[in-house]
Amino acid sequence: MDPLASTKERRQLLVSGTVQGVGFRPLVYRVANKHQITGSVCNQLGIVSIEVEGTVEQINRFIRDLEVQTKEPAKIESIEQSLLPLANDNCFRIKESKAEGISGYSFPPDLAVCSECISDLTHPSQRYYNYPFTSCSNCGPRYSIIQGIPYDRPVTTMKDFSLCEPCRKEYEDPSNRRFHAQTIACPTCGPIVELRNNKNVLVSGDWKRNVEKALLTGKILAVKGIGGFHLICDAASRKVVEKLRNRKRRARKPFALIVRDLQTVEENFELTQAEQELLASRRAPIVLLRPKPFLKEWLPLESLAPGYQRLGVMLPYTPMHALLFTDSLSFLVATSGNQSGLPIARTNEEALQQLDGIADYFLLHNREIGVRVEDSVCQVVDEQISFIRRSRGYVPESIPFPLPPFGVKEIPTVLAVGAEMKNTACILHGDRAILSQHLGEIEHEEQLTCWREGVQHIQELLRVEPEIIAYDPHPGYIVTQQALDQFQDYPLFPIYHHHAHMAACMAEHGLISPVIGCILDGTGYGRDGNLWGFEILTGDYLKFERACHLEPLALPGGEAAIRYPWMMAMSLLYQLEQDMFFTKHWALQLFPDVKEQLPFLLAQLDGRIPCPRVSSAGRLFDAVAALLGICVESTYDGEAAVLLGERAEMSSTGCLGKGNYSFAYSAGQWRVGQLIKDILGDLMLSVPIEEIAKKFHHTVVEMVIFGVLEAYKKTEIRSVVLSGGVWNNRYLLSCAKKRLKEVGFTVYTHQKIPAGDGGIALGQAVSALWRWHHHVFVRSSEDH
């Protein structure tokens, strides 16, 4: 045995990562006592500081054990060690937090209620029986209630609830799982619930029984959660689901379900191992799942998610949610509590005002929501997670990214303001990126206020001010105008939309060398001032080139064509023959209800009235969906394209089954005239819509392959990134990955952030940092 192993010493361990608010200090305490080590642990700004005293062997075993026992969502990213003088203390203690050190990334996401707390909730002998704010050191709200760091009760919205004696006893008991749980509360000392009707009158009696009665009689409830309000109703009642649609003016956009428990999900949905683990994880996102065939007999699936093969499903992630279920209620609709175009309601007052006319009852409580945080939404494609919306449960976890290679001693803080749709903002601080929660569409002042709140919240937690600003140069984005107005004296870096998409996927995977970027989305402002959206790019964080793209197509009606896909179908019909009579003939056959609007549309197509042009995969998908009669009017963003993807999945032939349509390529552009001609031919032959949709998807995959090979000929780059909202299409993503690998490319897809505009801020931020570095260090050194 090494004689030095028995030498006694004292070390300081500075632990970085997600180590505050996740039960890490109690874990340190238990592991230290297991190894008979003395010392202390406390929170500091951005880190947990541990002092340990014992033999070298004891301390080394303690560190190894601590690393092994640290489980999600806690995460150790680094441990910095240094020697200290011996203190000869006689125990191990959890000390008061210190507001010293440097800001960091240890503030945690909101955590789903754990099984132990659910057990307490359901046992009459427990003092937490039926208490909707039960939590412990392993679960409960975190990010949505944090108001400062280090993470302790006085800097959360729990600060107004003083602990009663039984709670304090549990809080101070190292053997109790509520040991140092900052959200601990009980019916005696914690938040309280009240049920009010739509006249704001308190409903007397037991709130749980009243809620059960309301749900079973077809009422709609506004329920205050941890990051905002949900609108909740009985998912088994077609009548009440349609009533919610009418009141919320949400014609066809799918509703998410919250299901009683994992067993109920397993009995009613087809689950892969990855889907099951994701659904039951402490992050508790909404996961898109395929229902078993018999479920349509119990739930009105077409009312819940019209045209979809999957439903968004989540498990109860708060005690409040769990208490909504009874023997008669196993499936509830849970959708964002907001009016169309407004942010999710956060306060009781906002809910009572904004949801008046939608909700019949309001289930309220007096714990403040510090910041709005909507539910995360994801799916599993080829056993890998694919985010549609990254928010609760994941934010504000940091994402590592590649730093510029040399010359940077102090890294400036970067704020990227994101895009207009599905907005998230991003802050780079040190070598980590913090992506905000989903902030939604930024088109009105109320939404811009929500954006300011989200950005300010992260800045306050990090205790930083931005030094560099990255933004999308689209002249119509109000979030861009906000950045230009608010930060006009800062270094400003415009990052083009599709370059940001490519850089986001690169940054997520830590790539430094140039890549080929396959960027497929709706529309984004291009370097030439036109609208792009179906691009093969080559480049890195500093620059990009457009290797090839879809031929520009007329966008008749401008942005109206996004809502009315039949207009984009008209554009494709005209593109095919450049003939007014041909276009009108097909338009009258396919879209007879729009006869009166045809003259104005045709005038735009033949140039008599000015019309923007667009090279967009999203608009191409829209047009084909309209041609096939799948969707001629979209009621929510991306509806036509999404439904086209769903129909492709319904086809009986497997992925990459035989058959795709023709396309031409010239002067760096894909030409789709023959593609449209072939689709019309199949329509005339009464080929099933599902088969046409699948062949169209195969054609898009082959267009991508062709474009990547063209880019490879010029650059010999073999790394390919797939980014842009169109890659949320499960079938397209799976097929493209397989084909690209078949022809010898290494493929990178988004797994930590959304492929759509919800991830674009990361690419903006990292690209801006690299450009700043190049300007400050590389150019200056070249000048000398």
Side-chain angles (χ1 to χ4, degrees), residues 25 30 70 133 162 229 306 329 387 497 580 597 634 692 732 770:
R25 285 180 299 170
R30 291 192 295 272
T70 299
F133 306 100
S162 299
F229 277 77
L329 290 166
F387 280 100
H497 194 91
M580 298 291 286
Q597 300 176 56
S634 290
I692 299 176
L732 186 75
W770 278 63

Side-chain angles (χ1 to χ4, degrees), residues 503-525:
C505 196
M506 289 180 65
E508 177 182 330
H509 290 279
L511 304 179
I512 296 176
S513 300
V515 300
I516 298 172
C518 304
I519 316 301
L520 277 63
D521 69 354
T523 53
Y525 188 70

Side-chain angles (χ1 to χ4, degrees), residues 10 111 134 293 386 471 564 586 674:
R10 188 178 186 88
L111 306 177
T134 301
S386 174
Y471 65 94
Y564 298 102
W586 274 103
Q674 188 60 47

Side-chain angles (χ1 to χ4, degrees), residues 290-471:
R290 187 184 293 275
K292 292 181 178 178
F294 65 80
L295 190 58
K296 63 184 178 182
E297 300 175 11
W298 301 101
L299 296 181
L301 301 185
E302 269 303 308
S303 293
L304 292 166
Y308 277 65
Q309 301 301 298
R310 286 170 170 79
L311 291 176
V313 175
M314 61 180 164
L315 293 175
Y317 60 86
T318 72
M320 177 83 83
H321 290 131
L323 290 171
L324 298 177
F325 291 94
T326 68
D327 291 341
S328 302
L329 290 166
S330 296
F331 302 91
L332 297 173
V333 168
T335 191
S336 298
N338 65 320
Q339 282 186 11
S340 179
L342 293 178
I344 188 172
R346 179 176 66 88
T347 67
N348 295 347
E349 293 73 23
E350 282 180 355
L352 288 165
Q353 180 179 8
Q354 187 186 149
L355 304 179
D356 181 33
I358 300 178
D360 299 301
Y361 290 95
F362 294 80
L363 189 58
L364 309 175
H365 59 75
N366 62 337
R367 183 178 67 199
E368 182 184 352
I369 295 172
V371 64
R372 295 174 176 88
V373 187
E374 295 206 53
D375 297 318
S376 295
V377 183
C378 56
Q379 58 186 346
V380 174
V381 181
D382 298 333
E383 290 300 281
Q384 292 182 332
I385 185 173
S386 174
F387 280 100
I388 297 168
R389 187 168 77 193
R390 181 181 181 270
S391 201
R392 177 191 51 74
Y394 296 91
V395 172
E397 285 190 346
S398 64
I399 300 171
F401 67 91
L403 291 171
F406 62 90
V408 181
K409 295 181 180 178
E410 292 188 7
I411 303 168
T413 298
V414 182
L415 168 63
V417 303
E420 182 177 67
M421 304 294 286
K422 302 176 177 63
N423 180 276
T424 62
C426 182
I427 292 180
L428 302 187
H429 183 54
D431 62 350
R432 299 283 159 162
I434 305 290
L435 207 64
S436 78
Q437 69 272 33
H438 169 79
L439 298 173
E441 280 58 67
I442 314 296
E443 299 175 306
H444 307 294
E445 182 58 35
E446 295 90 347
Q447 298 161 325
L448 192 58
T449 298
C450 180
W451 180 87
R452 294 189 192 104
E453 290 173 355
V455 172
Q456 187 64 29
H457 188 60
I458 295 177
Q459 284 185 218
E460 289 175 353
L461 292 180
L462 287 171
R463 299 191 177 187
V464 299
E465 290 291 332
E467 300 167 86
I468 293 173
I469 308 300
Y471 65 94

Side-chain angles (χ1 to χ4, degrees), residues 106-174:
S106 50
F107 33 91
D110 298 304
L111 306 177
V113 60
C114 67
S115 58
E116 291 90 347
C117 283
I118 288 291
S119 179
D120 288 346
L121 197 69
T122 55
H123 281 78
S125 61
Q126 289 288 336
R127 66 191 190 94
Y128 298 101
Y129 177 61
N130 278 350
Y131 184 59
F133 306 100
T134 301
S135 68
C136 67
S137 61
N138 300 317
C139 68
R142 299 292 194 269
Y143 182 63
S144 59
I145 63 169
I146 292 173
Q147 296 176 317
I149 56 171
Y151 173 72
D152 279 311
R153 194 179 184 97
V155 290
T156 72
T157 59
M158 291 296 294
K159 63 181 180 293
D160 296 327
F161 303 99
S162 299
L163 296 181
C164 65
E165 190 56 34
C167 281
R168 181 163 297 281
K169 184 177 179 181
E170 291 187 344
Y171 180 84
E172 295 174 351
D173 179 4

Side-chain angles (χ1 to χ4, degrees), residues 530-548:
N530 293 318
L531 297 175
W532 294 7
F534 195 159
E535 324 298 323
I536 303 295
L537 307 180
T538 59
D540 51 25
Y541 300 114
L542 297 175
K543 60 186 182 299
F544 71 95
E545 296 297 329
R546 198 182 188 195
C548 55

Side-chain angles (χ1 to χ4, degrees), residues 563-634:
R563 181 172 180 186
Y564 298 102
W566 69 267
M567 293 182 176
M568 204 63 220
M570 290 273 295
S571 176
L572 288 184
L573 291 171
Y574 184 78
Q575 190 79 5
L576 175 57
E577 296 287 347
Q578 302 282 306
D579 181 271
M580 298 291 286
F581 294 103
F582 173 86
T583 304
K584 188 174 181 179
H585 166 75
W586 274 103
L588 290 174
Q589 285 197 51
L590 296 171
F591 316 115
D593 295 338
V594 300
K595 181 178 180 180
E596 295 182 0
Q597 300 176 56
L598 289 183
F600 178 71
L601 266 292
L602 292 171
Q604 291 183 75
L605 293 174
D606 72 1
R608 286 174 288 157
I609 297 177
C611 174
R613 302 185 77 80
V614 60
S615 59
S616 162
R619 302 293 78 81
L620 178 63
F621 274 72
D622 286 354
V624 172
L627 289 174
L628 301 185
I630 293 171
C631 181
V632 297
E633 178 182 353
S634 290

